[in-house]
Amino acid sequence: MLYLVGLGLSYTSDITVRGLEVVKKCKRVYLEAYTSILMQADQKSLEDFYGREVILADRELVEGGSDQILAGAEQDDIAFLVVGDPYGATTHTDLVIRARELGIKIETIHNASVMNAVGACGLQLYQFGQTVSLVFFTDSWKPDSFYDKILENRKIGLHTLVLLDIKVKEQSIENMARGRLIYDPPRYMSIETAARQLLEIEESRNQQAYTPNTPCVGVSRLGSPQQKFKAATLKELTKYESGEPLHSLIVLGRQVHDLELEFLYDFVDDKEKFKKFVEEDQEYFKPPPYVPPPDDDDDM
């Protein structure tokens, strides 16, 4: 059996009781170590808590060495641990498909992830549209496919959760070209970097998917003791000091419920100023007023 086990967001003890029981009985235990991190734990603390060895699974192993992970899973129990929920990244879907092709049984043990825990900021989960990912820009590479999805969400009034890039065990172009197994230090995108990149793409696309005054929420260390939210305009967030990772960003939709707004006031510097930006932003993509069809009797 291949077990996909969600670890939650922060602590070693965030794993479910059933998940912990599974980990303790498995022959091998892998920890997916590149799409996210447990903010209050590391490999050693997990091994101490589980009482057994944990094998780090980097991007190369998960995407190119799935057969190694799945080896013997027809007879033995193998655990694949994922920060958050197992299906928070498409890479894990690929692993499941490969296991099915090999006739390996699969069981999933779910847990909290950013996709549901983000509701702690006060925005209602069913008011979120498509989630997008934002990668670190380079001088020559500034992908903007996320922009169209934010635009679509905003047109129908929905909030957009923006997941910010993390780079773990990444090589520089020079080291990659020279075949040197030298890896750059881990990097985690901050809220202020994300805000600057979003505005850079808006300036080039100029479709007003959002503006410098669009209200947003910066989310820092969700699920940890240092969890923090900051409600401000996109421009204001370019100067925000978001602190230690992990971070994400929410672009508010055109329709903001009164209860959502009331909840967000706890995270703003100036309540009236923020309310003004929300009200102004609601004019964008506002549907035209309803015009009833002509009454046939009027033509008689």
Side-chain angles (χ1 to χ4, degrees):
M1 177 82 75
L2 171 67
Y3 289 94
L4 299 176
V5 182
L7 298 183
L9 293 169
S10 189
Y11 293 95
T12 55
S13 54
D14 282 347
I15 190 172
T16 64
V17 173
R18 187 160 69 95
L20 183 58
E21 291 172 348
V22 164
V23 168
K24 288 181 176 293
K25 77 172 185 175
C26 284
K27 185 172 183 178
R28 296 193 311 278
V29 179
Y30 292 92
L31 172 63
E32 188 266 271
Y34 67 92
T35 60
S36 191
I37 59 170
L38 276 177
M39 291 172 287
Q40 301 293 123
D42 56 20
Q43 181 182 5
K44 184 179 185 308
S45 63
L46 290 176
E47 290 179 332
D48 291 343
F49 187 74
Y50 301 151
R52 56 168 311 138
E53 178 189 10
V54 173
I55 305 166
L56 288 182
D58 59 18
R59 183 187 297 271
E60 295 172 7
L61 178 58
V62 177
E63 296 184 353
S66 59
D67 288 346
Q68 180 179 336
I69 295 173
L70 298 173
E74 301 92 340
Q75 296 84 29
D76 301 313
D77 290 328
I78 308 298
F80 186 75
L81 312 182
V82 181
V83 175
D85 187 82
Y87 289 102
T90 55
T91 295
H92 313 133
T93 305
D94 293 340
L95 183 66
V96 169
I97 292 173
R98 179 58 180 152
R100 286 175 178 168
E101 292 172 347
L102 295 173
I104 296 169
K105 294 180 180 179
I106 302 154
E107 185 171 332
T108 303
I109 301 173
H110 295 284
N111 210 320
S113 76
V114 64
M115 303 292 283
N116 56 13
V118 74
C121 74
L123 297 176
Q124 299 163 0
L125 290 178
Y126 56 78
Q127 293 281 54
F128 279 78
Q130 304 168 87
T131 298
V132 301
S133 296
L134 183 64
V135 301
F136 280 109
F137 288 174
T138 68
D139 291 339
S140 59
W141 189 59
K142 298 179 181 181
D144 64 355
S145 58
F146 67 85
Y147 184 89
D148 295 316
K149 293 183 178 181
I150 295 178
L151 181 60
E152 290 172 3
N153 288 343
R154 296 262 293 159
K155 282 183 176 180
I156 56 176
L158 300 180
H159 312 311
T160 304
L161 173 61
V162 184
L163 302 178
L164 308 188
D165 198 10
I166 74 171
K167 291 191 177 298
V168 178
K169 202 176 179 181
E170 297 277 345
Q171 289 180 282
S172 67
I173 295 176
E174 180 183 355
N175 285 329
M176 195 180 302
R178 294 177 180 273
R180 298 184 298 210
L181 293 178
I182 301 174
Y183 300 98
D184 296 334
R187 297 173 62 204
Y188 305 94
M189 186 181 291
S190 66
I191 292 167
E192 48 270 39
T193 296
R196 286 193 293 268
Q197 290 192 178
L198 287 177
L199 288 176
E200 182 177 352
I201 295 302
E202 174 56 51
E203 187 175 346
S204 63
R205 293 286 295 266
N206 196 29
Q207 294 175 258
Q208 291 194 323
Y210 44 83
T211 74
N213 289 335
T214 293
C216 297
V217 181
V219 182
S220 299
R221 297 184 68 79
L222 184 64
S224 80
Q226 302 84 28
Q227 173 177 292
K228 185 178 179 181
F229 303 110
K230 180 66 174 181
T233 67
L234 197 53
K235 183 178 180 180
E236 289 170 338
L237 288 178
T238 63
K239 299 178 182 179
Y240 179 54
E241 296 181 3
S242 51
E244 293 296 310
L246 297 170
H247 304 293
S248 53
L249 179 69
I250 303 166
V251 180
L252 265 63
R254 172 178 46 79
Q255 302 177 84
V256 180
H257 193 279
D258 289 344
L259 289 177
E260 292 179 305
L261 190 56
E262 189 65 32
F263 205 110
L264 290 177
Y265 285 153
D266 201 39
F267 313 129
V268 303
D269 291 332
D270 186 323
K271 175 180 173 180
E272 292 304 319
K273 183 179 177 183
F274 186 76
K275 181 180 181 180
K276 173 177 171 290
F277 283 127
V278 169
E279 291 173 346
E280 290 176 352
D281 190 69
Q282 289 178 347
E283 294 301 314
Y284 285 94
F285 310 120
K286 193 172 184 177
Y290 174 72
V291 178
D295 190 337
D296 291 340
D297 292 339
D298 294 341
D299 299 332
M300 296 178 63

